[in-house]
Amino acid sequence: MSKPPDADKTLFLGKVLTMDDDMTVAEAVLVDERGHILEVGTEQAVRDGLGAGAQVVQLAAGQVLMPGFIDPHLHLLPTLLQSVLESHNLAPCLPGPYRIPTATACESRADVLSTLASIQLSPEAPKDEFVLGMNLDPSRQVFDPLKCGITAKEAASAKSFMDNPKFYIERCVSKDRPVLILDQSGHLAYVNQKAIDVVCAGQAACPPASVEQGGGEWAPSNKATSFTGLLKETSGYAPFMAAMQKSLPLAQLQSHPQEVLEAYQKEIKPGIQAMRDAGLTTIADGGLVGRPQLNAVKFLAEQEHFPMRVTGVVTYDSAKTDDIQPTGPACDPRQDARCRLPKWLGAGGLKLWVDGSTQGCTAKLSAPYSYSTKGHCADAGDGRADFDNMQAIVTALSEQWMTKSWRVQLHANGNDANQWAIDAFALLQQKAQNQHPVLFIHNTVGLEQLSKNLGDLRKGTYRATNGQTAPAVQAHVTHLIGHVAYWGHAFRGMLGEEAANNLDPVGFDRDQGIPFSFHSDSMVTPPRPLWFVEQAVTRRTWAYPSLQESGTLGLEKHAATVEEALRAITIEPARQHELDAWVGSIEQGKVADFVVLGDNPLDYGPTKKDPTLIHKIPVVETYLNGKPTSKNP
């Protein structure tokens, strides 16, 4: 028996926000059996000549169809492993409307020492087994030193938590077992003396040379050859990760990530589901260290029921060490009519860190900004960089840049770090003109002249430090917009009012014609794209620990429109990762990766529906290649 005509096609009917360059609103989308978009337009035009056998997906009243959301920068493996270590998740609360249910009541984590004391120790665990905590955030969690039986005299001697985390960990968690606490920024960690002893045992020199070589540091104490327990940057705490017992899954993530994923499939499934439920259909893993992690993420993406596409970004140094070359999808629907776009999109990006974390006191700043002499970052001054100077960045990237085959992405929070990145790209582009996009990740501490320099770099009018004008660089920015909501109030005290108002400077981007996207940097903030939209439009910030709204930051200058914010989670990140030929907008010839929302985000805004409710818009369904992901078990 023959099939009815067009039985292998699917017709989507309803309001369609295409997110194309004209922001076209369509009524119908026709998709073939491979998930290719055949036609977009009015219902009448798309139905014309279509056989009666086509399947029809009719949106309910009020719903809209959009291209699936894209998170252009997160860390997938650590994000998923949070589910395995839920009892040691030390993150502070989110405000009530944004609260994510967890197994542990976050109210117990309002202050630093109570948070540490909430860590549950297993009495059966061996004395040499590490205790691991994740997502501590002293920049938001109140510091009350008179906890854990600590006297006022002891507290006065120990000073603040950041001055002497070792002391407070030993009093609140354990002195006998090695303890490693990871900061939510991902750029700091905290340890006790037992952990230091474990890492240094048998070492000719401690810290190992790899710490300084990678731009890290073990903060020294006043005593010779002693440390405070504060570790800076990934290379600073990498030796402790390596020393962990293999029974801790995050430690295994460094050496045997695929085995971890296979062993903890049940535990990581909720984390995957949460991203799907947030409307994500494509994510970029923004810092894969070497071939084991690259293969692990590829393995995960290629699982039959994994509901998203993944593209990888490899650290520049591990790409050299493991001889990793840039790759793309296994097949291209534009070239191969039989191709269903794979979920693993390859790894064509290189990642390099210029500086650390703004809230972690390690962003590289310059005039007119510096860390306040009081408060959380009292002694940080201008912060720090992961390189000695700008020229060192050029040297690190030159070999790979000369191949003209990589997308290059630089993590830069502070205004000085971003200026170093601009100058480095200008010199590199003079050496060899790379036509791939370059991405400024975070671009947090904004300055009008800085954005003008970045805009000039895009236009080919920027004069490099050697006095020559650099050829145009295809420069883009992706903002961790959660900096405004989560840390904005803290930054007022840490950086001052002007710097806080210029966080994630969308207005400067707009003035200079710099394309921008929004990302989560998960685990730093949750991967919830509609939250990004709301945070960018409202510029609201939260004050800890009461979590009452504490006003807005730079609303008049830097608020995004809803349209801009939607483009920042769809077509713009697709372009930044060179995926826009396939995803990011709903256009003929692209792939049918969709999200269905229960309400139209464009109906929200200052003169429309309350924009503080954008995060409540329901995600009804996502589609990959035109197939609903909710049907996957």
Side-chain angles (χ1 to χ4, degrees), residues 312-362:
V313 181
V314 186
T315 61
Y316 82 100
D317 47 352
S318 71
K320 291 179 182 178
T321 302
D322 289 1
D323 191 26
I324 298 171
Q325 302 302 316
T327 57
C331 69
D332 184 346
R334 298 167 302 176
Q335 309 297 329
D336 182 355
R338 297 169 297 177
C339 175
R340 293 177 182 268
L341 185 65
K343 287 183 290 184
W344 172 243
L345 299 172
L350 284 180
K351 169 76 175 294
L352 180 148
W353 283 261
V354 179
D355 66 348
S357 160
T358 313
Q359 63 269 26
C361 314
T362 56

Side-chain angles (χ1 to χ4, degrees), residues 110-117 138 140-152 155-156 159-161 167-168 172 545:
D111 68 90
V112 174
L113 299 193
S114 294
T115 300
L116 292 175
R140 292 183 289 165
Q141 289 160 319
V142 174
F143 175 60
D144 177 359
L146 303 181
K147 297 284 181 77
C148 307
I150 297 169
T151 66
K159 299 183 180 179
S160 74
F161 176 79
F167 168 78
Y168 293 104
C172 297

Side-chain angles (χ1 to χ4, degrees), residues 256-271:
H256 300 88
Q258 186 167 320
E259 288 87 337
V260 172
L261 294 175
E262 291 173 335
Y264 291 94
Q265 290 185 47
K266 180 180 177 181
E267 288 82 359
I268 67 176
K269 186 175 180 180

Side-chain angles (χ1 to χ4, degrees), residues 269-550:
K269 186 175 180 180
I272 296 171
Q273 186 68 21
M275 287 188 279
R276 189 209 76 88
D277 291 347
L280 285 164
T281 56
T282 300
I283 56 177
D285 193 314
L288 295 171
V289 182
R291 199 171 294 280
Q293 288 194 12
L294 178 64
N295 289 340
V297 172
K298 180 176 184 288
F299 162 81
L300 186 64
E302 290 177 341
Q303 296 305 294
E304 180 182 0
H305 300 305
F306 191 76
M308 292 167 287
R309 303 191 198 279
V310 185
T311 187
V313 181
V314 186
T315 61
Y316 82 100
D317 47 352
S318 71
K320 291 179 182 178
T321 302
D322 289 1
D323 191 26
I324 298 171
Q325 302 302 316
T327 57
C331 69
D332 184 346
R334 298 167 302 176
Q335 309 297 329
D336 182 355
R338 297 169 297 177
C339 175
R340 293 177 182 268
L341 185 65
K343 287 183 290 184
W344 172 243
L345 299 172
L350 284 180
K351 169 76 175 294
L352 180 148
W353 283 261
V354 179
D355 66 348
S357 160
T358 313
Q359 63 269 26
C361 314
T362 56
K364 183 69 174 71
L365 306 172
S366 63
Y369 303 134
S370 64
Y371 284 110
S372 170
T373 55
K374 297 181 180 179
H376 177 64
C377 298
D379 298 321
D382 293 333
R384 65 191 303 278
D386 286 18
F387 288 85
D388 291 336
N389 50 51
M390 178 275 296
Q391 187 59 49
I393 300 171
V394 176
T395 301
L397 285 173
S398 284
E399 178 183 345
Q400 289 155 317
W401 183 273
M402 294 296 288
T403 68
K404 303 182 186 181
S405 57
W406 288 99
R407 297 185 295 277
V408 179
Q409 308 188 357
L410 296 191
H411 163 117
N413 269 304
N415 58 309
D416 205 24
N418 277 274
Q419 186 59 55
W420 281 15
I422 291 169
D423 288 331
F425 281 133
L427 293 176
L428 288 165
Q429 192 72 331
Q430 291 178 27
K431 289 177 175 245
Q433 293 192 37
N434 188 341
Q435 300 304 315
H436 294 285
V438 302
L439 187 60
F440 287 68
I441 299 172
H442 305 329
N443 190 240
T444 307
V445 183
L447 194 64
E448 193 165 13
Q449 183 60 51
L450 180 71
S451 292
K452 184 181 185 306
N453 293 345
L454 183 53
D456 288 346
L457 186 69
R458 279 184 57 83
K459 298 167 191 169
T461 58
Y462 183 71
R463 191 174 295 277
T465 55
N466 62 4
Q468 299 178 22
T469 300
V473 176
Q474 196 186 147
H476 300 247
V477 164
T478 183
H479 294 298
L480 172 54
I481 197 63
H483 271 133
V484 175
Y486 294 77
W487 291 277
H489 180 76
F491 285 161
R492 281 187 170 125
M494 293 160 59
L495 297 174
E497 194 71 24
E498 179 186 354
N501 279 325
N502 285 332
L503 292 173
D504 302 293
V506 166
F508 296 157
D509 297 338
R510 186 189 297 123
D511 292 345
Q512 299 300 328
I514 302 167
F516 61 87
S517 69
F518 299 135
H519 65 271
S520 67
D521 201 17
S522 182
M523 309 176 297
V524 178
T525 70
R528 306 286 188 275
L530 286 174
W531 292 18
F532 311 163
V533 173
E534 179 179 315
Q535 290 161 3
V537 171
T538 66
R539 299 280 298 189
R540 291 198 303 170
T541 186
W542 308 323
Y544 292 82
S546 65
L547 293 171
Q548 300 300 313
E549 182 185 341
S550 59

